[in-house]
Amino acid sequence: MAVTLSEAAATHVANFLQKRGKGVGLRLGVKTSGCSGMAYKLEFADAVQDEDLTFESHGVTVLVDPKSLVYLDGTELDFVKEGLNEGFKFNNPNVKDACGCGESFNV
């Protein structure tokens, strides 16, 4: 079981953490939301919680709570630039369907 970052995502996160001046890594999770049932949560973590599962990817720590790992196992978080837009993209092999707006998914 693992959650990884692409090299581009790891570089983006590491640069942001350095500019921010604090933080131990990136916390990924899921929450109930949207028309397809679940949405991703993404935030910078200042501390590791007791229940957190930690993964190291290209020198960046990824933190995931055990309940979210069921839905995120095998996911790679990428950082992509398309024209003038840039952002994180979740490559999640567990997704069976996603809503048209791209905000939510189900497994």
Side-chain angles (χ1 to χ4, degrees):
M1 291 169 76
V3 177
T4 60
L5 301 177
S6 69
E7 190 171 342
T11 299
H12 185 76
V13 170
N15 289 340
F16 191 87
L17 287 171
Q18 184 178 15
K19 288 178 190 174
R20 191 171 177 253
K22 64 178 181 176
V24 296
L26 186 68
R27 184 181 310 281
L28 299 179
V30 296
K31 62 182 178 178
T32 303
S33 178
C35 45
S36 288
M38 308 190 89
Y40 296 108
K41 295 188 306 184
L42 180 71
E43 62 187 12
F44 294 99
D46 291 331
V48 177
Q49 305 298 320
D50 290 339
E51 70 275 2
D52 284 336
L53 300 167
T54 60
F55 304 96
E56 192 76 19
S57 190
H58 297 284
V60 174
T61 301
V62 179
L63 307 160
V64 180
D65 67 271
K67 290 180 182 176
S68 293
L69 185 59
V70 173
Y71 305 104
L72 295 174
D73 186 30
T75 296
E76 179 195 53
L77 182 64
D78 195 8
F79 188 78
V80 295
K81 293 182 182 184
E82 296 173 353
L84 298 175
N85 298 319
E86 64 182 20
F88 289 106
K89 179 180 177 185
F90 289 83
N91 298 314
N92 185 343
N94 305 302
V95 171
K96 302 288 187 248
D97 192 25
C99 70
C101 65
E103 292 295 318
S104 63
F105 66 97
N106 65 41
V107 293

